Amino acid sequence: MHNNPFSWQLIIQSLPKLRSKPKQPDTMTKLSVNINKVATIRNARGGDNPDILQIARDCESYGAEGITVHPRPDERHIRYNDVISLKPILTTEFNIEGYPQKSFIDLVKSVRPTQVTLVPDSPDQITSNCGWDTKEHFEFLSDIVSDLTEAGIRTSIFVGTEPEMIDYAAKTGTDRIELYTEPYARMYKKDPIKAVAPFVEAARIARKNGLGVNAGHDLSLENLAYIHQEIPWIDEVSIGHALICDAIYFGLHETIMKYKSCLN
């Protein structure tokens, strides 16, 4: 993708060929920029370069409708203090992802972001690689959702496309689910129609259950427009790794504009 800076335009232009009647979105899909990778670069050398707070401000000023962070217990990228410092300066939606251990719940209840996304990651996990088994962990998730709802925080549960997992997520009382899109991204180049099909069905089941739908993991300039075309009612996409990589080539402002164009 990076060898030709304009390849993303060709990809988007080709999408209508895959459908004869593109669907119209019910609402605008928000772009939430995950700034964990920026924190990784900062932590590699210490100090405050790049400045996480300024990056977040810039993302908002360039058009991002939200900022996402995922503070892990080892603080290898976003730190708990970063989360506390970000809250008062943000003017868009603040989404905090994480495994709901006590320290994480204490943090988000003190910060009170717009949304908390519950992920099933172990403390030493490099990145998220699956959704919750919401049936097995139903009682645990229900208690967490209830606690966060009482604190006035919107909740989202990270899930795969299995209908039963979405049904049980709905029963917890969560406001939204976030679809784990790595399988879609992996299959997209080979067969985009087959890749997106289970996600369309999952999103329909979620909507039938009264859930909002977010999406994230390995979404990029290459594959974002098509999944949005097929699921135009997605409420929010959270994108970090690919977006920050693209920003090395295009600059942060231009990159955010490119991602937003995939959602229009």
Side-chain angles (χ1 to χ4, degrees), residues 109-246:
K109 288 176 69 176
S110 68
V111 171
R112 294 179 182 265
T114 313
Q115 175 178 272
V116 168
T117 300
L118 306 174
V119 298
D121 294 6
S122 62
D124 59 347
Q125 202 161 317
I126 295 175
T127 188
S128 302
N129 63 5
C130 65
W132 282 97
D133 183 331
T134 53
K135 183 177 181 179
E136 179 179 349
H137 300 286
F138 176 74
E139 295 296 336
F140 174 66
L141 290 170
S142 296
D143 289 344
I144 296 295
V145 167
S146 177
D147 192 20
L148 295 176
T149 299
E150 287 180 10
I153 302 169
R154 188 175 75 218
T155 56
S156 180
I157 296 178
F158 198 62
V159 295
T161 57
E162 300 89 342
E164 186 178 34
M165 298 300 103
I166 298 169
D167 288 340
Y168 270 90
K171 292 174 184 178
T172 68
T174 189
D175 301 292
R176 296 183 181 183
I177 58 167
E178 179 175 336
L179 292 173
Y180 169 58
T181 51
E182 191 272 340
Y184 161 75
R186 187 175 63 246
M187 188 184 295
Y188 175 81
K189 286 185 180 180
K190 182 178 180 180
D191 190 338
I193 296 175
K194 184 177 180 180
V196 82
F199 291 87
V200 174
E201 180 60 21
R204 287 173 178 158
I205 293 169
R207 186 162 65 169
K208 184 178 179 180
N209 276 294
L211 295 171
V213 178
N214 298 338
H217 205 86
D218 284 355
L219 295 176
S220 67
L221 288 176
E222 180 179 40
N223 59 44
L224 178 59
Y226 185 61
I227 193 171
H228 181 257
Q229 175 181 289
E230 298 302 299
I231 316 173
W233 64 91
I234 292 175
D235 292 293
E236 170 192 293
V237 292
S238 175
I239 305 176
H241 182 81
L243 190 150
I244 299 304
C245 290
D246 290 328

